[in-house]
Amino acid sequence: SRRVARPSALVGLVTVLLAILSTPASAQTQTNTQSTQRAVNFLSSDVATWVTGNGCAACHRVGASTFGLAAARANGYDMTAVVANGRTNQYNLEFLGQRIATEQLANGSWIHEGSSFRNEKTSYATFGLAGYDQSVSTQYSATLVAAANWALLTQEASGRWPSDYTNFPVNHGSVPTTARIMVGIAQAKQRVDPARAAQYQAALDRAAAYL
């Protein structure tokens, strides 16, 4: 049976990577660029290996990592490097994007097998696809739009999408869950007609008011 992903240092690593990647290039030293590249190489191999071994795109592992690797690609890090699993960073990134898309349900959401973690897994999957759609390829734009459409139907009147993941420390409440879905909706807004985009914006406005 598939294991529920155990909270790990990978989530923290992705957070650190995103902070470094957002630093202006003029402020980066050769040392931190090399350190970030090593972190990208580790993240790429480790997450792809985990998905292959466990057979699922775990909630926090894959979505957050896909977003981080897409950001690395957009910021000029070496995606042709062959890493510990014998694949390139680019191959691993594409593998993760494909894995996320493959697990989407017909209604546009994702759910962790054998659990009720729908909002949590959907928020991470949508977040990951938003980064992929923005920085890698639009091949999963329809998948991202389907997720955004599901989110419009499930947003609470308060503007939030409540966290339904009960295992600490991954569960930090509904703020990060809502924020990740917002990132997905904002990117999906670029892929729809003006009428639908207006509906997306209204949902974003409600979510922003909640935050």
Side-chain angles (χ1 to χ4, degrees):
S1 61
R2 297 175 181 174
R3 293 179 293 164
V4 174
R6 184 177 61 184
S8 71
L10 284 174
V11 176
L13 175 60
V14 170
T15 302
V16 172
L17 276 174
L18 292 176
I20 295 173
L21 292 170
S22 65
T23 303
S26 60
Q28 291 184 353
T29 66
Q30 186 64 24
T31 299
N32 70 33
T33 300
Q34 292 172 342
S35 296
T36 303
Q37 182 67 58
R38 289 196 298 271
V40 168
N41 295 348
F42 165 78
L43 185 69
S44 161
S45 173
D46 185 84
V47 177
T49 298
W50 193 95
V51 171
T52 300
N54 290 274
C56 76
C59 300
H60 60 284
R61 244 180 210 268
V62 179
S65 299
T66 300
F67 191 95
L69 291 172
R73 184 182 188 277
N75 282 275
Y77 286 88
D78 186 4
M79 303 302 288
T80 66
V82 177
V83 294
N85 70 331
R87 302 290 188 174
T88 65
N89 287 323
Q90 183 64 34
Y91 180 95
N92 288 334
L93 173 55
E94 291 172 359
F95 167 71
L96 296 179
Q98 181 184 46
R99 187 73 208 203
I100 292 173
T102 298
E103 293 190 16
Q104 187 179 40
L105 302 178
N107 66 4
S109 72
W110 287 260
I111 190 166
H112 204 293
E113 184 174 324
S115 75
S116 60
F117 305 150
R118 186 181 301 275
N119 283 5
E120 199 69 12
K121 184 159 186 175
T122 300
S123 73
Y124 274 111
T126 304
F127 180 63
L129 287 183
Y132 193 99
D133 190 79
Q134 182 179 48
S135 302
V136 183
S137 168
T138 58
Q139 64 178 311
Y140 300 127
S141 292
T143 306
L144 181 63
V145 168
N149 290 340
W150 173 86
L152 259 63
L153 296 175
T154 59
Q155 185 180 29
E156 291 190 344
S158 65
R160 74 170 184 165
W161 288 272
S163 172
D164 51 14
Y165 194 90
T166 57
N167 296 345
F168 183 84
V170 174
N171 173 30
H172 291 290
S174 300
V175 168
T177 306
T178 298
R180 286 188 295 269
I181 290 178
M182 288 176 71
V183 171
I185 292 175
Q187 183 61 29
K189 184 183 168 187
Q190 312 303 313
R191 310 301 180 201
V192 294
D193 61 60
R196 197 58 167 169
Q199 294 178 331
Y200 286 2
Q201 187 58 54
L204 292 171
D205 290 343
R206 288 193 296 271
Y210 160 74
L211 293 180

